[in-house]
Amino acid sequence: FFFTQKTAYDISACLVGSEMCIRDRYPNDLLFGKGNPDLSNGEAPLIKPVQKAFDQMAEAAKKENITLKIVSGYRSFERQKQIWNRKYSRNQKAGLDSIDNIKKIITFSTLPGTSRHHWGTEVDLIDGSQKEEGDVLLTQKFQGEGPYARLALWMQENASQFGFYLPYTNNKKRKGFSFEPWHYSYAPVSIQMLKAYLKLDLISFLKASEVLGKEVFDIDFISTYIEENIKGINPVLL
């Protein structure tokens, strides 16, 4: 697997490799967030090839007095399930039925087992040099006179040089999750993980889980969710 020092530098071999190469490199448990990836150290770990690229990008940003701080990196299935079930229970108590409940949650939050953060290739970023309290991942904070507007502009102009791209852009034709100016994906790895992920039996996995609302997850729902939420991303990352 690419989680070793040796294969971290061989990852490009699978970018143009066979389907078997992609499948063997990314086992199901890993893609669903239940594996044990070789993560970097730190409060918001990433898989090591991504951490290396991020560190290089952070050094470049630092020269412009921007401190790239990762608010969220790798996130396990269990952690995503806690987030999901908490929101689902809260919405249920407020009187929402299962369908409306799920529709509300997936405006921003992913179903457990479907989060790109499960892969260790994703970063939610803020500018650590700006002191902000409360919820920092709000769109308005990355625009106009917001505290992270300079960060957003710098990333827009420079992130691709280091392999990072916004999955959830502000393209109004894109379906799925709302615009997330803080979320960047490391394309050299995440593209191949997505290809492997799209071959998995997501319905069976979710039905066997303890995710609240799973009675709604039929073929029609999951097919739409895959097309709009999982594949509804920046085309560069497909």
Side-chain angles (χ1 to χ4, degrees):
F1 298 110
F2 72 95
F3 302 117
T4 66
Q5 183 66 27
K6 178 180 181 298
T7 54
Y9 295 96
D10 295 338
I11 197 160
S12 61
C14 263
L15 296 182
V16 292
S18 65
E19 290 298 318
M20 183 177 294
C21 177
I22 294 172
R23 185 175 63 249
D24 291 346
R25 191 173 285 269
Y26 310 116
N28 293 5
D29 281 352
L30 174 72
L31 295 169
F32 281 135
K34 289 194 167 189
N36 294 295
D38 186 11
L39 298 171
S40 60
N41 295 323
E43 294 182 3
L46 305 169
I47 56 173
K48 290 181 178 178
V50 181
Q51 185 69 61
K52 181 179 179 181
F54 176 80
D55 289 345
Q56 293 171 344
M57 183 168 66
E59 281 298 314
K62 192 174 181 179
K63 296 176 182 177
E64 301 297 327
N65 296 316
I66 295 172
T67 302
L68 299 188
K69 180 180 179 180
I70 303 175
V71 176
S72 182
Y74 172 76
R75 194 182 305 148
S76 69
F77 170 83
E78 289 301 320
R79 176 58 181 147
Q80 191 68 26
K81 185 182 74 173
Q82 290 172 2
I83 294 170
W84 176 275
N85 285 354
R86 183 178 67 248
K87 291 183 177 181
Y88 189 94
S89 295
R90 183 178 65 227
N91 294 340
Q92 191 175 48
K93 290 178 181 178
L96 292 183
D97 61 27
S98 296
I99 294 293
D100 288 339
N101 194 341
I102 290 170
K103 285 181 178 179
K104 182 175 181 179
I105 298 174
I106 62 176
T107 302
F108 282 106
S109 294
T110 60
L111 275 168
T114 73
S115 175
R116 295 176 65 92
H117 281 279
H118 292 335
W119 306 341
T121 59
E122 314 297 297
V123 290
D124 290 346
L125 295 175
I126 62 172
D127 183 350
S129 68
Q130 305 297 311
K131 304 303 179 184
E132 286 288 306
E133 296 182 357
D135 191 349
V136 293
L137 300 182
L138 297 174
T139 303
Q140 62 266 29
K141 293 193 175 186
F142 293 78
Q143 299 174 333
E145 299 299 320
Y148 308 133
R150 283 190 67 244
L151 163 68
L153 180 60
W154 189 90
M155 291 293 291
Q156 180 181 327
E157 295 175 346
N158 297 281
S160 62
Q161 299 176 35
F162 302 92
F164 289 89
Y165 295 86
L166 282 173
Y168 309 121
T169 65
N170 60 352
N171 184 340
K172 297 188 182 304
K173 294 183 179 180
R174 184 182 61 79
K175 295 182 179 181
F177 298 114
S178 295
F179 174 42
E180 294 188 352
W182 53 81
H183 182 161
Y184 278 81
S185 178
Y186 185 61
V189 183
S190 67
I191 288 173
Q192 297 308 307
M193 295 185 94
L194 178 60
K195 287 181 179 180
Y197 184 88
L198 290 173
K199 298 180 183 300
L200 302 182
D201 183 354
L202 181 55
I203 293 180
S204 295
F205 173 80
L206 290 172
K207 289 293 187 182
S209 72
E210 296 178 348
V211 174
L212 296 181
K214 65 182 180 180
E215 67 276 3
V216 173
F217 304 153
D218 57 17
I219 290 178
D220 288 340
F221 175 86
I222 293 298
S223 296
T224 299
Y225 183 83
I226 289 173
E227 286 300 315
E228 296 187 356
N229 294 78
I230 295 178
K231 296 168 69 175
I233 58 175
N234 187 340
V236 173
L237 293 170
L238 291 170

